[in-house]
Amino acid sequence: MAEAQVPQQVGGAGWLRRRQRGPRGRIEIGDPFLARLFRIYIPVCFFVLVTLFPFYWMLITSIKSDTELLDFNQLPIFVRQPTLKNYEHLFTQTFFPHWALNTAIVAVVSTTISLFCSILAGYSLGRLRFRGANWIGWAIFVTYLVPPTLLFLGMAKLIQVFVLYNNLWSLILTYPTFLIPFCTWLLIGYFKGIPRELEESALVDGATRIQAMVRIAIPLALPGILSAGMFAFTLSWNEYLYSLIFMNDPISKTIPVGVTQDLIRGDEFFWGELMAAALLGSIPVAMLYSFFVDYFVAGMTAGAVKG
Amino acid sequence: MTNDELVEVFERDPELYQWTRRTFLKRTGALVVTASLAEMWAVACGGSTGGTNTATTGKAPVPRKGARIVYTQWNSFVPAGDAEVRRQAQEFGDKFGVEVVVQTITQDDLIAKTAAYVQAGDGPDVISMQYSWPHLYTSACLDVTNEVNILKQRLGAIHPVNDAYTKVNGVYRAVPYTIVMNAWSYRTDYFEKAGVSGFPKTFEDMLTAAGKLAKATGKPIAQTVGHAYGDSLTMWLPVLWAHGGKETDAGGKVTINSPETLKAIDWALRAKAAGEVFHPEWLDPDNNQAYHSDNISATLNGPSIYIKERDTNKKFDKVTDNAVMPGGPKGVFTMNLIFNQAVMKWTKEPETAKAFVLYQMDKDNYLKWMAAAGGYDIGPFAAINNAPVFQSDAKLKAFHDVAYDASNKPIGYWPGWPAPPSKKTSQAQAEYITADMFAKALAGTSPQTAVKEAEDRLRNIWEKP
Amino acid sequence: MSIITRARARSVGLPHKRPNPFDNEAFLGYLLLVPTVLVLSIFLAFPFIYGVVLSTTSTEVGDEVLGRFVALANYLFEMARDGVFRTAFVNTFSYTFYTTIVKFVLGLSMALLLNQVFPAQRFVRAALLLPWIIPSVLSTLAWRWMFDPTFSVINWVMNSGLHLPICHGSTTCVNWLGTPGTAMLAMMIVNIWRGTPFYGIAFLAGLQTIPTDLYEAARVDGATRWRQFLHITLPMLRPVLLVVILLSTILTFADFQLPWVLTRGAPYNSTQLLATWAYTIAIPGNQLSIGAAVSLFLFPVLTVVIGVVLLLLRRPE
């Protein structure tokens, strides 16, 4: 048990301390190049290669013509006559831009709602002392056990009762069910990590508890909030089942559903367009991460460690 | 009170049970009926909500000006066919001052959506249902007996498979719509090279052909033995039937464990030994792709392979032909993908919805659609089963011949035959029990064990209390 | 110290501060939970309770009302008579177990690597997250295409690129999705490919909270890298490891999209998982209540497991 207590002590001001140290971690001095080659560069290359190969394959597939796609007498991992026909098709023959817009709206709004709920819940469970807090935290986590493959039927009933079928709100309101638990859990840890003294001195100065929360605790928890937000955004960007069930009009679908519903026809797959859409659909999220990946890590830090 | 006692009480007094459930779930607006009475209710209530007389042909439905209806169907592999469906919907709308919205869903996802609609009790006004769905969702489908009777007068007899699927307890729950046929597409050049003249007429001849093809060309006859929705059972149930095997008898007694079934499995094993390739992992697109990429010499499929070669690929179109299912000791058996149009009970515009379905089934409109669809399907009524498209393209003849024989007599069976279509047949179909039996045997399990397992699984369905 | 602060605040009794219910920790605590509880109980509790009720009846899709109440008969039926259920049960466990182990090892290695300084670090971090970002339906389709017996680029690389002897010079050397063992393996590979980045990033976050002085002290004492890892890194990471494993286990247990798109249970149900089997029975098979029973089968066990893990994680306050 002694070991378990150590990180909590450290985590107390974990992210503050890391800030001082800089985000890069420790620098090893006097490390010979050859050792670094085997210990770092080669494994990194291995990871990058394995991770990115499917993406390379998708890219190659998306710029191949139909005939080249099915021709394995030639080198399949290169493309001889690249074509942008599949991308063109995606924009002229399908509602891809609409799907992208729908997906973005749903992801942004459901993330915002989830963050609002999780910040309050995280603060409550991580910061305030009251009976039943642990039970509630457990219950929120347990909701992940509820299997969505069957839930969707009950959910469909509910959406019908609320007259939300074919309405983006049906997604905006249901996505938080699988976003809030993780975000709350992350933020509980984060709020626990912020030194109490900061808030308490504000209380002494006459601030109300809510003012202390809004002006001190929440701004200090921003990295965690950002991290939770990115997590939520990613999950809602990729959601499939609810979107499939609740949205009907071709124009009002989200990317994963619109793409599969329009580009899989009977037993014919339009591979080129499918892969083009998969890549294009991931770009916005990928951009988000390439800018904010360090913040994402930093935000996970306290939350993850404090559990 | 123990659970058994509870069950007893509920059975004695269903109202009480329903009432408790209803209060519990706050299902306001739902009619109070018992599960055991559900089917009787469906008969009685469906007739009255439809507002039609079930016995004789009543008046044709008249669309209401200003109505808006939504129609959902699968996403077919011929985009031009879907475009024609949309055009006709638009035309119908313009003619009667109605708005018709057409939604298309991928074949594999359509059942999940339909189930959700039925559970929620709301959704599109007309759903294009596949196979036995009218039997599954009976209480959600309006009685369309009147409309079917009108069509019978206009177009003649219904194909018996569509008839079996649409008629539930004597009441039509859907309007017969179409049949997407399953036949063999094969490469004439490879067959020639291997010295095989024409596609084999019997399963025994197929063994010889498969051997020659594999040896001479290296391009095998190949088919799925997996969980492909449209291609797997359409192969393996006919193989079973042609050798005399049956999942159950007409009354639902499980009869799969028979010498005839073993004969069918034996054929599959001999075919494999001869060089025919059966893929347990293939889903519906895989045999298409293998064919288009020149990897196989023949496969059983819908018309999509041929139509794609003919219309867009144009690589092997000259050397592709189609052939009907070979026969076995018990004759020739075929199975196709069946579609029927159900008007859903939650529609606010039942008359408009029914009128739209009839509009689609108008002979001229139907033939126009078949022409646009390039022959991927065939009409389930006598007057629309030999469309011009089958005359203009001789290679489509085989697809015609798996639904109607040379004398234009309807042929074909449904999964679960000879038992009539029901929830039980469709469960056996959904679980791919027969395909799994063949797949296991082909993978090396002893045929007896494979049959025994299939028998157990079928018993679980048919003999469940 | 905080107690002293608060005691002082109270004893000073600031005159302008009236008693405010929002300053009551319990009151505020419950109040702040209202939105979360509201959202979860409306959109999750109802479908969940509905599912539980379904699983104890004999309801089918399309039934106007719930079917007969059968208590646990559906659960017992599945256990006693459904051979596919037993396969799915075993598969779900092995699928979850093996992928979790591998994701754990790879994720930890990835985190240790990413915690080093090297060029293009930010690019590498973002790139390694990509599998987790892309919609899984589409990435799994791409994998299916890569495992395809006819077009497997993996086989092509193994044969023509690497000339592996197992291929015997044929591009169809491994029928990935065609035999039970390799099909399960393929499913696990895709799951690992998709899941490892999240492990890596979460562990990296954990690593960054470990103070460097601990390592410096260890180095002074002459501890090897391995011993440092064993005695500092692992213990310090324990909480984050547990939580990530817990979360990932739950999500892997319920994995539906991936196996459904990749194998759909084939060959002959050997890759069926509880989630895919539940769906097959409930939706195409129409046996709604049995499907509900299958998918809820493990709920009680997992609930307890989560309770225990969270209890272990809770710090003594």
Side-chain angles (χ1 to χ4, degrees), chain B residues 23-47:
Chain B
T23 327
F24 178 52
L25 289 171
K26 297 194 176 59
R27 291 163 48 113
T28 47
L31 280 160
V32 181
V33 284
T34 72
S36 52
L37 293 177
E39 292 205 320
M40 279 168 59
W41 172 81
V43 174
C45 215

Side-chain angles (χ1 to χ4, degrees), chain C residues 134-210:
Chain C
I134 188 165
S136 59
V137 183
L138 300 173
S139 63
T140 312
L141 271 177
W143 275 99
R144 185 167 168 91
W145 184 233
M146 287 167 58
F147 283 127
D148 189 286
T150 321
F151 306 99
S152 172
V153 69
I154 299 174
N155 281 350
W156 189 89
V157 169
M158 279 165 52
N159 178 56
S160 309
L162 306 172
H163 298 288
L164 291 186
I166 52 163
C167 293
H168 306 294
S170 149
T171 48
T172 52
C173 57
V174 180
N175 186 357
W176 284 100
L177 303 174
T179 63
T182 49
M184 275 301 279
L185 183 66
M187 253 160 60
M188 291 179 191
I189 290 175
V190 181
N191 180 286
I192 290 163
W193 173 79
R194 183 175 164 74
T196 304
F198 183 68
Y199 276 65
I201 291 297
F203 292 169
L204 174 64
L207 282 179
Q208 300 202 335
T209 59
I210 304 177

Side-chain angles (χ1 to χ4, degrees), chain A residues 137-138 141 185 307, chain C residues 243 246 305-314:
Chain A
W138 172 79
F141 204 90
W185 163 70
Chain C
V243 171
L246 186 69
V305 170
I306 288 187
V308 171
V309 174
L310 289 185
L311 214 63
L312 285 178
L313 280 173
R314 208 170 68 201

